[in-house]
Amino acid sequence: MRTTEKQPRTSPLVPDTVVREITRHGWDSVTCGCGRPAGHLVDTLWDAAEGHPAAFHALEGHAFHAGGLRAPAPAVCGVLMAVWSAGPPRQSTREALLWALLRLLGCEDDGTSHEAGLYGQCAAHIRTALPTLRAAAAHRPDSVSAAYATGILRLLDLSG
């Protein structure tokens, strides 16, 4: 009898901290924004972690869509913040990652003052990187990365 258990994906481009963040979530137990189990997002998140800018844009319709967050958004945001903390070397990757974070924070707040809804959970993940987001906003202020980082800080109301 053979088992066909899927081996965990590995990549020399993905730091262990990001691997741990991707693998710690029960993706198939969450309904994706597209209506399927969110397990199919794992490949997209690996692609994002490897630095493929298109992968960040591919999260639309799954983690966020039409101004609203979807159930996998907090877990996706946790992975994105692990990628950000690892310091993606390519500018295009940083820009795409900041774009995705800005899109997540630009969604309508679904929580209440007494409950951290999807938005509150995403914002909490993003707040863990405030020093590096502030640095990105200050570095080359005329750049796309700085504009996205400034937008993130403004949405968090922490730009001052």
Side-chain angles (χ1 to χ4, degrees), residues 47-54 56-57 80-81 83-102 132-133 135-137 139-140 143-149 152:
D47 290 344
E50 289 179 336
H52 304 289
F56 297 96
H57 295 277
L80 297 182
M81 294 315 299
V83 172
W84 176 257
S85 294
R90 293 185 333 160
Q91 179 180 341
S92 59
T93 302
R94 288 190 308 272
E95 287 175 0
L97 192 152
L98 289 167
W99 172 87
L101 295 175
L102 187 59
T132 57
L133 289 168
H139 182 70
R140 292 185 41 221
S143 70
V144 172
S145 291
Y148 287 151
I152 290 166

Side-chain angles (χ1 to χ4, degrees), residues 18-133:
V18 178
V19 172
R20 281 192 299 275
E21 187 64 28
I22 292 172
T23 58
R24 79 178 188 90
H25 298 284
W27 296 100
D28 283 328
S29 67
V30 176
T31 301
C32 184
C34 69
R36 301 182 308 177
H40 71 281
L41 291 178
V42 172
D43 286 336
T44 303
L45 292 167
W46 271 99
D47 290 344
E50 289 179 336
H52 304 289
F56 297 96
H57 295 277
L59 295 170
E60 188 156 11
H62 302 278
F64 53 90
H65 182 67
L69 295 172
R70 303 300 185 238
V76 165
C77 194
V79 172
L80 297 182
M81 294 315 299
V83 172
W84 176 257
S85 294
R90 293 185 333 160
Q91 179 180 341
S92 59
T93 302
R94 288 190 308 272
E95 287 175 0
L97 192 152
L98 289 167
W99 172 87
L101 295 175
L102 187 59
R103 291 286 300 185
L104 286 163
L105 284 177
C107 290
E108 188 174 310
D109 189 348
D110 64 316
T112 70
S113 60
H114 303 290
E115 173 187 348
L118 297 175
Y119 186 90
Q121 293 173 60
C122 289
H125 281 299
I126 295 168
R127 281 189 177 100
T128 64
L130 286 177
T132 57
L133 289 168

Side-chain angles (χ1 to χ4, degrees), residues 3-18:
T3 60
T4 57
E5 192 172 310
K6 189 176 179 180
Q7 294 296 316
R9 186 169 166 181
T10 62
S11 170
L13 301 174
V14 181
D16 290 343
T17 55
V18 178

